[in-house]
Every structure is written in C-alpha cells, then in structure tokens.
Amino acid sequence: QVHLVESGGGSVQAGGSLRLSCAAAGYTFSNNCVGWFRQAPGKEREPVATIYTAIGSTYYADSVRGRFTLSQDSAKSLVYLEMNSLKPEDTAMYYCAANPTRGAWQCFLNSPFGDWGQGTQVTVSS
C-alpha cells in the first residue's frame, strides 16, 4: 500500500489560485494512474482529474477543464494540481489517489483507485 500525502490547500478568494501536491513516501509514480478527487459537505465525492504518469496523459472533469492543470515533477515523485480561476463551488476536501497501471487506457476519471490520501481542504470565498 502506498502512503499518499496531499498538501497545498488553503483559503482563497474567487478568481484566485492554488497548487496542490500529492506525494508518496518512498515511492515513485513511474507507471501509475494518479487521480484527484473532491468532496464538498453533503455531496458525493467526484473525480476532478487523472494523469497517467508514464507519459503524462491527462483527463479532466468538465467542471474544471481549462482552469485546472495536472503536472508532475521530473523525478516522478510528485503530482501537482494547479487550480486557477477558482470558484466558490470548488470548495471541497481534495484527495489524491493512485493505482499501478499498465497503460493510459486504464487511467480515466472513473478508474478504480486502491490508495488514497487524507485530503487537503480548499475553501474559495466569493
């Protein structure tokens, strides 16, 4: 099991930006599907974006496409979620998740994930 740790959450005003990070202690995201999910109070958890780390292919939910961007560091030890033009409806607990994956065809927004982090809170005020 991979221990995932999210960081970078915080409180911003609408239109602001945040960058979330997902790290796995002692582990390299060399061939993984890494996903970001969010859950707002009273709502179900929803997928935000996924990245297949071997080649950097990405998928985004319609609600964040064009505003959020996934990336990874050159050492493949961190996955970032850059969030721009934040809206109050982006307020949620954000979680990263990971799963070893054979290829990009197994990395989509609805892919299953076995390892999850504890989450980082993002609050966007109007």
Side-chain angles (χ1 to χ4, degrees):
Q1 189 172 5
V2 179
H3 179 62
L4 301 174
V5 178
E6 304 93 336
S7 62
S11 298
V12 297
Q13 290 190 328
S17 299
L18 285 172
R19 187 176 76 163
L20 306 184
S21 299
C22 177
Y27 187 80
T28 300
F29 295 125
S30 57
N31 207 35
N32 292 77
C33 184
V34 177
W36 282 95
F37 295 76
R38 65 187 182 186
Q39 187 167 19
K43 295 187 178 181
E44 293 187 355
R45 186 175 63 196
E46 61 176 357
V48 174
T50 59
I51 182 169
Y52 176 51
T53 58
I55 60 174
S57 58
T58 56
Y59 284 93
Y60 297 93
D62 290 344
S63 59
V64 305
R65 188 177 296 113
R67 300 187 298 121
F68 291 11
T69 304
L70 278 167
S71 63
Q72 52 187 326
D73 69 330
S74 58
K76 295 189 185 296
S77 61
L78 291 166
V79 170
Y80 302 106
L81 180 67
E82 184 78 32
M83 305 187 297
N84 297 314
S85 302
L86 282 162
K87 304 175 181 179
E89 51 264 43
D90 294 318
T91 295
M93 184 73 78
Y94 283 71
Y95 301 90
C96 75
N99 217 44
T101 304
R102 295 181 180 180
W105 66 90
Q106 293 183 329
C107 189
F108 296 96
L109 292 176
N110 60 354
S111 296
F113 289 90
D115 298 305
W116 292 81
Q118 295 298 309
T120 185
Q121 178 67 38
V122 172
T123 302
V124 185
S125 58
S126 58

PDB file of all heavy atoms in Angstrom, residues 92-121:
ATOM      1  N   ALA A  92     -14.033  22.332  -1.322  1.00  0.00           N
ATOM      2  CA  ALA A  92     -14.177  20.904  -1.020  1.00  0.00           C
ATOM      3  C   ALA A  92     -12.905  20.405  -0.362  1.00  0.00           C
ATOM      4  O   ALA A  92     -11.885  21.095  -0.340  1.00  0.00           O
ATOM      5  CB  ALA A  92     -14.445  20.101  -2.295  1.00  0.00           C
ATOM      6  N   MET A  93     -12.980  19.183   0.146  1.00  0.00           N
ATOM      7  CA  MET A  93     -11.777  18.462   0.531  1.00  0.00           C
ATOM      8  C   MET A  93     -11.257  17.761  -0.712  1.00  0.00           C
ATOM      9  O   MET A  93     -12.033  17.082  -1.398  1.00  0.00           O
ATOM     10  CB  MET A  93     -12.082  17.442   1.631  1.00  0.00           C
ATOM     11  CG  MET A  93     -10.860  16.725   2.153  1.00  0.00           C
ATOM     12  SD  MET A  93      -9.830  17.778   3.176  1.00  0.00           S
ATOM     13  CE  MET A  93     -10.775  17.765   4.709  1.00  0.00           C
ATOM     14  N   TYR A  94      -9.998  17.958  -1.002  1.00  0.00           N
ATOM     15  CA  TYR A  94      -9.395  17.369  -2.183  1.00  0.00           C
ATOM     16  C   TYR A  94      -8.490  16.206  -1.785  1.00  0.00           C
ATOM     17  O   TYR A  94      -7.662  16.330  -0.869  1.00  0.00           O
ATOM     18  CB  TYR A  94      -8.585  18.428  -2.939  1.00  0.00           C
ATOM     19  CG  TYR A  94      -9.452  19.370  -3.739  1.00  0.00           C
ATOM     20  CD1 TYR A  94     -10.256  20.317  -3.112  1.00  0.00           C
ATOM     21  CD2 TYR A  94      -9.484  19.307  -5.133  1.00  0.00           C
ATOM     22  CE1 TYR A  94     -11.066  21.172  -3.836  1.00  0.00           C
ATOM     23  CE2 TYR A  94     -10.291  20.160  -5.875  1.00  0.00           C
ATOM     24  CZ  TYR A  94     -11.073  21.088  -5.217  1.00  0.00           C
ATOM     25  OH  TYR A  94     -11.883  21.931  -5.947  1.00  0.00           O
ATOM     26  N   TYR A  95      -8.660  15.113  -2.502  1.00  0.00           N
ATOM     27  CA  TYR A  95      -7.910  13.899  -2.218  1.00  0.00           C
ATOM     28  C   TYR A  95      -7.139  13.465  -3.462  1.00  0.00           C
ATOM     29  O   TYR A  95      -7.638  13.599  -4.584  1.00  0.00           O
ATOM     30  CB  TYR A  95      -8.854  12.754  -1.844  1.00  0.00           C
ATOM     31  CG  TYR A  95      -9.718  13.008  -0.644  1.00  0.00           C
ATOM     32  CD1 TYR A  95     -10.964  13.596  -0.771  1.00  0.00           C
ATOM     33  CD2 TYR A  95      -9.291  12.634   0.633  1.00  0.00           C
ATOM     34  CE1 TYR A  95     -11.774  13.828   0.336  1.00  0.00           C
ATOM     35  CE2 TYR A  95     -10.088  12.846   1.749  1.00  0.00           C
ATOM     36  CZ  TYR A  95     -11.321  13.449   1.589  1.00  0.00           C
ATOM     37  OH  TYR A  95     -12.113  13.660   2.693  1.00  0.00           O
ATOM     38  N   CYS A  96      -5.948  12.936  -3.236  1.00  0.00           N
ATOM     39  CA  CYS A  96      -5.280  12.277  -4.348  1.00  0.00           C
ATOM     40  C   CYS A  96      -5.333  10.771  -4.125  1.00  0.00           C
ATOM     41  O   CYS A  96      -5.446  10.294  -2.990  1.00  0.00           O
ATOM     42  CB  CYS A  96      -3.843  12.764  -4.539  1.00  0.00           C
ATOM     43  SG  CYS A  96      -2.654  12.172  -3.348  1.00  0.00           S
ATOM     44  N   ALA A  97      -5.290  10.067  -5.221  1.00  0.00           N
ATOM     45  CA  ALA A  97      -5.364   8.613  -5.196  1.00  0.00           C
ATOM     46  C   ALA A  97      -4.444   8.073  -6.273  1.00  0.00           C
ATOM     47  O   ALA A  97      -4.156   8.762  -7.258  1.00  0.00           O
ATOM     48  CB  ALA A  97      -6.798   8.142  -5.426  1.00  0.00           C
ATOM     49  N   ALA A  98      -3.987   6.859  -6.095  1.00  0.00           N
ATOM     50  CA  ALA A  98      -3.057   6.286  -7.054  1.00  0.00           C
ATOM     51  C   ALA A  98      -3.297   4.799  -7.222  1.00  0.00           C
ATOM     52  O   ALA A  98      -3.800   4.126  -6.311  1.00  0.00           O
ATOM     53  CB  ALA A  98      -1.615   6.536  -6.616  1.00  0.00           C
ATOM     54  N   ASN A  99      -2.914   4.309  -8.389  1.00  0.00           N
ATOM     55  CA  ASN A  99      -3.035   2.894  -8.678  1.00  0.00           C
ATOM     56  C   ASN A  99      -1.982   2.521  -9.706  1.00  0.00           C
ATOM     57  O   ASN A  99      -1.840   3.239 -10.715  1.00  0.00           O
ATOM     58  CB  ASN A  99      -4.430   2.590  -9.225  1.00  0.00           C
ATOM     59  CG  ASN A  99      -4.955   1.259  -8.752  1.00  0.00           C
ATOM     60  OD1 ASN A  99      -4.844   0.912  -7.580  1.00  0.00           O
ATOM     61  ND2 ASN A  99      -5.518   0.516  -9.671  1.00  0.00           N
ATOM     62  N   PRO A 100      -1.241   1.440  -9.508  1.00  0.00           N
ATOM     63  CA  PRO A 100      -0.343   0.986 -10.573  1.00  0.00           C
ATOM     64  C   PRO A 100      -1.164   0.680 -11.815  1.00  0.00           C
ATOM     65  O   PRO A 100      -2.244   0.081 -11.733  1.00  0.00           O
ATOM     66  CB  PRO A 100       0.281  -0.287  -9.986  1.00  0.00           C
ATOM     67  CG  PRO A 100       0.109  -0.155  -8.515  1.00  0.00           C
ATOM     68  CD  PRO A 100      -1.177   0.593  -8.328  1.00  0.00           C
ATOM     69  N   THR A 101      -0.670   1.087 -12.958  1.00  0.00           N
ATOM     70  CA  THR A 101      -1.449   0.983 -14.183  1.00  0.00           C
ATOM     71  C   THR A 101      -0.556   0.522 -15.320  1.00  0.00           C
ATOM     72  O   THR A 101       0.591   0.963 -15.425  1.00  0.00           O
ATOM     73  CB  THR A 101      -2.064   2.358 -14.521  1.00  0.00           C
ATOM     74  OG1 THR A 101      -2.844   2.800 -13.399  1.00  0.00           O
ATOM     75  CG2 THR A 101      -2.959   2.272 -15.734  1.00  0.00           C
ATOM     76  N   ARG A 102      -1.095  -0.324 -16.176  1.00  0.00           N
ATOM     77  CA  ARG A 102      -0.314  -0.857 -17.292  1.00  0.00           C
ATOM     78  C   ARG A 102      -0.234   0.107 -18.454  1.00  0.00           C
ATOM     79  O   ARG A 102       0.699   0.043 -19.255  1.00  0.00           O
ATOM     80  CB  ARG A 102      -0.920  -2.174 -17.758  1.00  0.00           C
ATOM     81  CG  ARG A 102      -0.840  -3.288 -16.733  1.00  0.00           C
ATOM     82  CD  ARG A 102      -1.438  -4.565 -17.286  1.00  0.00           C
ATOM     83  NE  ARG A 102      -1.380  -5.665 -16.334  1.00  0.00           N
ATOM     84  CZ  ARG A 102      -1.838  -6.885 -16.578  1.00  0.00           C
ATOM     85  NH1 ARG A 102      -2.387  -7.164 -17.753  1.00  0.00           N
ATOM     86  NH2 ARG A 102      -1.751  -7.815 -15.662  1.00  0.00           N
ATOM     87  N   GLY A 103      -1.216   0.978 -18.548  1.00  0.00           N
ATOM     88  CA  GLY A 103      -1.202   1.885 -19.691  1.00  0.00           C
ATOM     89  C   GLY A 103      -2.248   2.960 -19.544  1.00  0.00           C
ATOM     90  O   GLY A 103      -3.099   2.930 -18.654  1.00  0.00           O
ATOM     91  N   ALA A 104      -2.190   3.923 -20.449  1.00  0.00           N
ATOM     92  CA  ALA A 104      -3.117   5.053 -20.400  1.00  0.00           C
ATOM     93  C   ALA A 104      -4.564   4.613 -20.554  1.00  0.00           C
ATOM     94  O   ALA A 104      -5.470   5.294 -20.081  1.00  0.00           O
ATOM     95  CB  ALA A 104      -2.756   6.068 -21.485  1.00  0.00           C
ATOM     96  N   TRP A 105      -4.778   3.488 -21.234  1.00  0.00           N
ATOM     97  CA  TRP A 105      -6.160   3.011 -21.427  1.00  0.00           C
ATOM     98  C   TRP A 105      -6.815   2.586 -20.129  1.00  0.00           C
ATOM     99  O   TRP A 105      -8.020   2.329 -20.086  1.00  0.00           O
ATOM    100  CB  TRP A 105      -6.168   1.856 -22.429  1.00  0.00           C
ATOM    101  CG  TRP A 105      -5.464   0.626 -21.953  1.00  0.00           C
ATOM    102  CD1 TRP A 105      -5.987  -0.426 -21.263  1.00  0.00           C
ATOM    103  CD2 TRP A 105      -4.075   0.312 -22.135  1.00  0.00           C
ATOM    104  NE1 TRP A 105      -5.023  -1.366 -21.008  1.00  0.00           N
ATOM    105  CE2 TRP A 105      -3.850  -0.951 -21.533  1.00  0.00           C
ATOM    106  CE3 TRP A 105      -3.011   0.959 -22.756  1.00  0.00           C
ATOM    107  CZ2 TRP A 105      -2.596  -1.560 -21.540  1.00  0.00           C
ATOM    108  CZ3 TRP A 105      -1.773   0.353 -22.756  1.00  0.00           C
ATOM    109  CH2 TRP A 105      -1.575  -0.879 -22.148  1.00  0.00           C
ATOM    110  N   GLN A 106      -6.024   2.508 -19.038  1.00  0.00           N
ATOM    111  CA  GLN A 106      -6.577   2.144 -17.742  1.00  0.00           C
ATOM    112  C   GLN A 106      -6.663   3.341 -16.795  1.00  0.00           C
ATOM    113  O   GLN A 106      -6.905   3.168 -15.601  1.00  0.00           O
ATOM    114  CB  GLN A 106      -5.716   1.056 -17.094  1.00  0.00           C
ATOM    115  CG  GLN A 106      -5.762  -0.278 -17.822  1.00  0.00           C
ATOM    116  CD  GLN A 106      -4.956  -1.342 -17.103  1.00  0.00           C
ATOM    117  OE1 GLN A 106      -3.954  -1.041 -16.454  1.00  0.00           O
ATOM    118  NE2 GLN A 106      -5.391  -2.581 -17.207  1.00  0.00           N
ATOM    119  N   CYS A 107      -6.464   4.534 -17.313  1.00  0.00           N
ATOM    120  CA  CYS A 107      -6.427   5.718 -16.453  1.00  0.00           C
ATOM    121  C   CYS A 107      -7.446   6.733 -16.922  1.00  0.00           C
ATOM    122  O   CYS A 107      -7.178   7.539 -17.816  1.00  0.00           O
ATOM    123  CB  CYS A 107      -5.014   6.306 -16.437  1.00  0.00           C
ATOM    124  SG  CYS A 107      -4.785   7.623 -15.214  1.00  0.00           S
ATOM    125  N   PHE A 108      -8.612   6.689 -16.332  1.00  0.00           N
ATOM    126  CA  PHE A 108      -9.693   7.606 -16.653  1.00  0.00           C
ATOM    127  C   PHE A 108     -10.279   8.169 -15.366  1.00  0.00           C
ATOM    128  O   PHE A 108      -9.909   7.765 -14.269  1.00  0.00           O
ATOM    129  CB  PHE A 108     -10.791   6.890 -17.454  1.00  0.00           C
ATOM    130  CG  PHE A 108     -10.334   6.394 -18.790  1.00  0.00           C
ATOM    131  CD1 PHE A 108      -9.906   5.088 -18.961  1.00  0.00           C
ATOM    132  CD2 PHE A 108     -10.307   7.247 -19.887  1.00  0.00           C
ATOM    133  CE1 PHE A 108      -9.477   4.635 -20.192  1.00  0.00           C
ATOM    134  CE2 PHE A 108      -9.884   6.802 -21.125  1.00  0.00           C
ATOM    135  CZ  PHE A 108      -9.460   5.492 -21.275  1.00  0.00           C
ATOM    136  N   LEU A 109     -11.231   9.059 -15.513  1.00  0.00           N
ATOM    137  CA  LEU A 109     -11.836   9.671 -14.336  1.00  0.00           C
ATOM    138  C   LEU A 109     -12.560   8.641 -13.469  1.00  0.00           C
ATOM    139  O   LEU A 109     -12.653   8.816 -12.263  1.00  0.00           O
ATOM    140  CB  LEU A 109     -12.792  10.784 -14.741  1.00  0.00           C
ATOM    141  CG  LEU A 109     -12.144  12.029 -15.364  1.00  0.00           C
ATOM    142  CD1 LEU A 109     -13.217  13.009 -15.811  1.00  0.00           C
ATOM    143  CD2 LEU A 109     -11.193  12.697 -14.384  1.00  0.00           C
ATOM    144  N   ASN A 110     -13.079   7.596 -14.096  1.00  0.00           N
ATOM    145  CA  ASN A 110     -13.824   6.603 -13.318  1.00  0.00           C
ATOM    146  C   ASN A 110     -13.005   5.345 -13.038  1.00  0.00           C
ATOM    147  O   ASN A 110     -13.557   4.301 -12.710  1.00  0.00           O
ATOM    148  CB  ASN A 110     -15.119   6.231 -14.027  1.00  0.00           C
ATOM    149  CG  ASN A 110     -14.878   5.635 -15.406  1.00  0.00           C
ATOM    150  OD1 ASN A 110     -13.743   5.596 -15.883  1.00  0.00           O
ATOM    151  ND2 ASN A 110     -15.923   5.150 -16.038  1.00  0.00           N
ATOM    152  N   SER A 111     -11.690   5.449 -13.173  1.00  0.00           N
ATOM    153  CA  SER A 111     -10.839   4.299 -12.887  1.00  0.00           C
ATOM    154  C   SER A 111     -10.864   3.989 -11.398  1.00  0.00           C
ATOM    155  O   SER A 111     -11.003   4.892 -10.570  1.00  0.00           O
ATOM    156  CB  SER A 111      -9.403   4.585 -13.320  1.00  0.00           C
ATOM    157  OG  SER A 111      -9.318   4.765 -14.715  1.00  0.00           O
ATOM    158  N   PRO A 112     -10.702   2.735 -11.034  1.00  0.00           N
ATOM    159  CA  PRO A 112     -10.627   2.385  -9.606  1.00  0.00           C
ATOM    160  C   PRO A 112      -9.265   2.753  -9.033  1.00  0.00           C
ATOM    161  O   PRO A 112      -8.245   2.665  -9.716  1.00  0.00           O
ATOM    162  CB  PRO A 112     -10.838   0.869  -9.613  1.00  0.00           C
ATOM    163  CG  PRO A 112     -10.325   0.433 -10.945  1.00  0.00           C
ATOM    164  CD  PRO A 112     -10.645   1.548 -11.897  1.00  0.00           C
ATOM    165  N   PHE A 113      -9.259   3.162  -7.780  1.00  0.00           N
ATOM    166  CA  PHE A 113      -8.022   3.533  -7.112  1.00  0.00           C
ATOM    167  C   PHE A 113      -7.922   2.801  -5.783  1.00  0.00           C
ATOM    168  O   PHE A 113      -8.884   2.754  -5.028  1.00  0.00           O
ATOM    169  CB  PHE A 113      -7.956   5.046  -6.873  1.00  0.00           C
ATOM    170  CG  PHE A 113      -7.758   5.839  -8.130  1.00  0.00           C
ATOM    171  CD1 PHE A 113      -8.840   6.286  -8.861  1.00  0.00           C
ATOM    172  CD2 PHE A 113      -6.478   6.124  -8.576  1.00  0.00           C
ATOM    173  CE1 PHE A 113      -8.648   7.008 -10.026  1.00  0.00           C
ATOM    174  CE2 PHE A 113      -6.278   6.847  -9.739  1.00  0.00           C
ATOM    175  CZ  PHE A 113      -7.361   7.290 -10.471  1.00  0.00           C
ATOM    176  N   GLY A 114      -6.727   2.272  -5.522  1.00  0.00           N
ATOM    177  CA  GLY A 114      -6.556   1.486  -4.309  1.00  0.00           C
ATOM    178  C   GLY A 114      -5.962   2.248  -3.152  1.00  0.00           C
ATOM    179  O   GLY A 114      -6.185   1.905  -1.991  1.00  0.00           O
ATOM    180  N   ASP A 115      -5.192   3.296  -3.443  1.00  0.00           N
ATOM    181  CA  ASP A 115      -4.515   4.042  -2.383  1.00  0.00           C
ATOM    182  C   ASP A 115      -5.008   5.484  -2.378  1.00  0.00           C
ATOM    183  O   ASP A 115      -5.100   6.120  -3.440  1.00  0.00           O
ATOM    184  CB  ASP A 115      -3.005   4.018  -2.598  1.00  0.00           C
ATOM    185  CG  ASP A 115      -2.448   2.614  -2.538  1.00  0.00           C
ATOM    186  OD1 ASP A 115      -2.676   1.934  -1.520  1.00  0.00           O
ATOM    187  OD2 ASP A 115      -1.802   2.191  -3.506  1.00  0.00           O
ATOM    188  N   TRP A 116      -5.298   5.989  -1.192  1.00  0.00           N
ATOM    189  CA  TRP A 116      -5.862   7.332  -1.039  1.00  0.00           C
ATOM    190  C   TRP A 116      -5.112   8.103   0.036  1.00  0.00           C
ATOM    191  O   TRP A 116      -4.637   7.529   1.020  1.00  0.00           O
ATOM    192  CB  TRP A 116      -7.333   7.241  -0.639  1.00  0.00           C
ATOM    193  CG  TRP A 116      -8.207   6.684  -1.714  1.00  0.00           C
ATOM    194  CD1 TRP A 116      -8.392   5.363  -2.028  1.00  0.00           C
ATOM    195  CD2 TRP A 116      -9.000   7.436  -2.636  1.00  0.00           C
ATOM    196  NE1 TRP A 116      -9.251   5.251  -3.086  1.00  0.00           N
ATOM    197  CE2 TRP A 116      -9.647   6.502  -3.469  1.00  0.00           C
ATOM    198  CE3 TRP A 116      -9.229   8.796  -2.826  1.00  0.00           C
ATOM    199  CZ2 TRP A 116     -10.510   6.899  -4.498  1.00  0.00           C
ATOM    200  CZ3 TRP A 116     -10.090   9.188  -3.829  1.00  0.00           C
ATOM    201  CH2 TRP A 116     -10.720   8.248  -4.657  1.00  0.00           C
ATOM    202  N   GLY A 117      -5.049   9.412  -0.153  1.00  0.00           N
ATOM    203  CA  GLY A 117      -4.500  10.275   0.867  1.00  0.00           C
ATOM    204  C   GLY A 117      -5.580  10.726   1.835  1.00  0.00           C
ATOM    205  O   GLY A 117      -6.748  10.362   1.695  1.00  0.00           O
ATOM    206  N   GLN A 118      -5.163  11.530   2.796  1.00  0.00           N
ATOM    207  CA  GLN A 118      -6.080  12.013   3.837  1.00  0.00           C
ATOM    208  C   GLN A 118      -6.830  13.268   3.424  1.00  0.00           C
ATOM    209  O   GLN A 118      -7.820  13.633   4.064  1.00  0.00           O
ATOM    210  CB  GLN A 118      -5.306  12.292   5.125  1.00  0.00           C
ATOM    211  CG  GLN A 118      -4.713  11.037   5.742  1.00  0.00           C
ATOM    212  CD  GLN A 118      -5.782  10.047   6.138  1.00  0.00           C
ATOM    213  OE1 GLN A 118      -6.736  10.386   6.830  1.00  0.00           O
ATOM    214  NE2 GLN A 118      -5.636   8.808   5.691  1.00  0.00           N
ATOM    215  N   GLY A 119      -6.378  13.925   2.376  1.00  0.00           N
ATOM    216  CA  GLY A 119      -7.089  15.086   1.870  1.00  0.00           C
ATOM    217  C   GLY A 119      -6.507  16.407   2.332  1.00  0.00           C
ATOM    218  O   GLY A 119      -5.827  16.495   3.355  1.00  0.00           O
ATOM    219  N   THR A 120      -6.782  17.436   1.551  1.00  0.00           N
ATOM    220  CA  THR A 120      -6.408  18.802   1.903  1.00  0.00           C
ATOM    221  C   THR A 120      -7.580  19.708   1.556  1.00  0.00           C
ATOM    222  O   THR A 120      -8.199  19.572   0.507  1.00  0.00           O
ATOM    223  CB  THR A 120      -5.121  19.231   1.176  1.00  0.00           C
ATOM    224  OG1 THR A 120      -4.713  20.519   1.635  1.00  0.00           O
ATOM    225  CG2 THR A 120      -5.292  19.255  -0.344  1.00  0.00           C
ATOM    226  N   GLN A 121      -7.891  20.617   2.460  1.00  0.00           N
ATOM    227  CA  GLN A 121      -9.097  21.444   2.311  1.00  0.00           C
ATOM    228  C   GLN A 121      -8.818  22.649   1.415  1.00  0.00           C
ATOM    229  O   GLN A 121      -7.810  23.344   1.582  1.00  0.00           O
ATOM    230  CB  GLN A 121      -9.576  21.927   3.680  1.00  0.00           C
ATOM    231  CG  GLN A 121     -10.792  22.829   3.632  1.00  0.00           C
ATOM    232  CD  GLN A 121     -12.047  22.108   3.175  1.00  0.00           C
ATOM    233  OE1 GLN A 121     -12.281  20.956   3.515  1.00  0.00           O
ATOM    234  NE2 GLN A 121     -12.870  22.799   2.391  1.00  0.00           N
TER     235      GLN A 121
END
